[in-house]
Amino acid sequence: MKVHEYQARALLQQAGIPVPPSQVIESPEQAAKAFRAIGAETVVVKAQVHAGGRGKAGYVKLVQSPNEAQREAARMFAQPMVSPQTGPAGVKVRRILMAQAVDIAREYYVGIVVDRARRVPVLMASAEGGVEIEEVAARNPDAIRKAWFDPHLGLLPFQAHALAAALGLQGHRRKAGAETMLRLARLFLEKDCSLAEINPLVVTTTGELLAIDAKFNFDDNALFRHPEIEELFDASEENPAELQAREHNLNYIALEGNIGCLVNGAGLAMATMDIIKLHGGRPANFLDVGGSVTPEGAVEAFRIILADPSVKAVLVNIFGGIARCDVIADALVTAAKEVGFQVPVVVRLEGTNVEQARHKLREAAIPQLRPAADLTDAARQVCAAV
Amino acid sequence: MSILVDGQTRVICQGITGKAGAFHTAQCLEYGTRIVGGCTPGKGGTKSAHGLPVFDTVHEAVAAVGADVSMIFVPAAAAAEAAMEAADAGIRLVVLITEGIPTLDMVRARKFLDDRGTKLIGPNCPGIITPGACKIGIMPGYIHKPPAAGTKNVGIISRSGTLTYEAVWQCSSRGYAQTTCVGIGGDPVKGLNFIELLDLFEADPDTHAILMIGEIGGTDEEQAAAHIRQHVRKPVIAFIAGQTAPPGKRMGHAGAIISGGEGTAQSKIAALRAAGITVSDSPATLGEAVARVLG
């Protein structure tokens, strides 16, 4: 689960990591008052959306007066932000963070993830702050210093001090830098983060160490023990079809193509998208109905797939194990009645109770249904149908 | 022969009185697995629906019925702890089926298991099956083909569930048997991985070829490719799911995500091909690929 910058900044503050004074506004009218409350000469106005590319899109602006703050805020609230990460329609801005602008002397990067290969958390630090860590990793991997730490012991003080020294931090700033890393590591472990990143962490011209921007992702599987984090979820940032699917325990991801997919199992669902592409088609979605699919769940899956106007054909690929083919066949019959098929639906069933399922589908004689002999045949048929 | 489990393996089920645990214990018993008991805290001293003894703790179960493998169906919030309890009781192999376990729980559990020399399969996996002898998990047993005199046999390692069934089905339909099939699971932090299992299959005289099914996310397949080049002489056939997956999106499995330019299908396929491994472009031609290699 992703959170907004202003929410991440509040978490840093709670953890005792210094950030510049700020205000969050939800309408342009609040901008002037917020400007005065911050009480700085220059204030940075930042749209709060999950998508990146805000700076280049003109949604991070420096302002020097209440009027200017209001004008920029009004523009950001009025026009959806379009960046390479948002798609052409852009995303609507619902909140804006206003923060004191600081004079930066040096920028650093500090971030924590779980290292999958070593199976422990790793803190990464770099003196090349303000740019994406992936970019640094690709261009100059030696610029990234790493410290792996035990989840029970946490990041140890000597590790943090060594990293702060490696970044070139001196004197009291080295101590402050190490303290920031220790607090970030504690936060990462306490809140079950999958990413905790401060970028940039800056030294100001007056020698202060401050976190300017932060990004946090949380482990969805651990949200049950962090209700305070779950509360930060912003449904307006999510694709509505993906949200609807989640409510029905379906795993759905919208894509750009025109062939809808309904599959059981995540690996098979990915493989089904791949075989569509291999035969010249383009998948409209990833959809895993799960191992213990109910008829209601499968009907809902059809509803979601067929609500996408770009879908010109559907491929149903089920390998029955615990999920039974006859349950899927019943769902197909119900969906044909309740949702209605306006496009061809190619059906490939194999595995548990497949004969019963085939019999049921023959009986139902749904005109749009096209049985496939095997997976290759299914891919060919569905690609030919669009 | 087989790897890790066979007809002699004595299995307990943690979570045997839960809905999934009870159902799959019945299925495994029907397949012929020697399930000798189960654990549910608070229900010790009772019998399960299958007539098996239920214990409060794994220690008690091990002392009473002598199990060496535990199959875990405990809910996600307590599943990592259940695995640690099994390890502490001396269980040799933990098969953790549960999906949705917090990653940091698995970081902690994996270390605990490593310290005690307990091996782990999963989490978020279908389990392990040695066809004809021992099924520990949720896979449909009937699609598998046990080795017999004269059969050519494949060992299967996979990060997926149903895609593994697909692969098994394609092999069985063409007459290829399986020594053992291991679903290693779709999570970012897990137990046995490609490399350890490749070594076990390499050493198993009855396994003639190894089929590995990977997917996007992480670099396990790249590491496996480097390992195969050095240490595996049996033919390896691979498929990588997620060639069309967009970056930054979690494709169902917690571990199936391309992030920071790492974990793409293209990178994995390139690494595997560079190591001389047959990579199938299509999930529908895995059986054919095995046939090409084994004849």
Side-chain angles (χ1 to χ4, degrees), chain A residues 326-341:
Chain A
D326 58 316
V327 172
I328 298 291
D330 286 339
L332 273 161
V333 175
T334 311
K337 276 192 205 125
E338 287 183 8
V339 189
F341 295 158

Side-chain angles (χ1 to χ4, degrees), chain B residues 126-189:
Chain B
I128 177 170
I129 181 169
T130 290
C134 180
K135 162 176 135 79
I136 305 174
I138 63 174
M139 65 292 278
Y142 73 92
I143 60 172
H144 299 81
K145 184 177 164 64
T151 54
K152 289 184 175 162
N153 314 322
V154 187
I156 300 182
I157 314 165
S158 172
R159 283 171 67 185
S160 170
T162 47
L163 182 55
T164 316
Y165 312 160
E166 178 79 50
V168 168
W169 177 252
Q170 288 180 29
C171 290
S172 296
S173 308
R174 289 174 165 265
Y176 297 103
Q178 304 90 39
T179 44
T180 301
C181 307
V182 190
I184 60 176
D187 274 11
V189 174

Side-chain angles (χ1 to χ4, degrees), chain B residues 264-289:
Chain B
T264 64
Q266 286 70 21
S267 140
K268 293 169 189 299
I269 291 168
L272 290 163
R273 288 209 167 121
I277 294 154
T278 306
V279 182
S280 175
D281 283 324
S282 164
T285 54
L286 298 169
E288 271 174 58

